[in-house]
Amino acid sequence: MRISARADYAVRAALQLAASRDDEPLKAEAIADAQGIPHKFLESILNDLRRGGLVLSQRGVNGGYRLAKPAESISIADVIRTVEGPLVSVRGIRPPELSYTGPAESLLPLWIALRSNVREILEGVSLADVASAQLPADVCALSNAPDAWVNP
């Protein structure tokens, strides 16, 4: 699975909003500076998040962005889907829409299993979990596996 810069930036921007303690909206410039995200790119991402119902925007001197829902109710999967679409696709096609023949026939259940595992992890972790550095135990166990940090 490949996480695009757009998805990475979107999650980081949402985490910056989740970590905001006061009720004041954050300006895009402040989010961009805090996370090292190109400002113009971030504006586009924030608009996608707003259209997707994850972020609210407020105009004016005290304007900016804030989460539309509590951070506990927004999963990392929600953010990625909002800016990128499906979590797992093959050549841009969702796995259930694929078909294979011959020796490749077993690829379909493999892609479905991959999608299921990606969903389980990304839907099971909220913005609040990451912002508070309190990842679920099963995610910690996976990241603590001996080979998890080794690139083959």
Side-chain angles (χ1 to χ4, degrees), residues 13-14 16-32 42 46 50 54-68:
Q16 194 68 41
L17 292 170
S20 176
R21 296 290 173 216
D22 52 9
D23 219 15
E24 296 296 312
L26 291 179
K27 300 215 178 285
E29 296 85 12
I31 298 167
L42 178 62
L46 289 169
R50 183 185 52 76
L54 299 182
V55 166
L56 298 173
S57 63
Q58 180 178 325
R59 294 185 125 152
V61 175
N62 296 324
Y65 297 88
R66 74 176 98 208
L67 293 178

Side-chain angles (χ1 to χ4, degrees), residues 124-147:
V125 179
S126 72
L127 291 176
D129 295 332
V130 179
S132 67
Q134 298 293 318
L135 296 176
D138 57 335
V139 173
C140 289
L142 288 169
S143 68
N144 290 331
D147 291 342

Side-chain angles (χ1 to χ4, degrees), residues 88 90 94-118:
V88 174
V90 179
R94 293 176 181 204
E97 297 167 10
L98 297 168
S99 65
Y100 297 99
T101 60
E105 209 168 336
S106 296
L107 272 178
L108 186 54
L110 177 66
W111 298 150
I112 296 293
L114 173 68
R115 180 176 74 164
S116 178
N117 278 321
V118 168

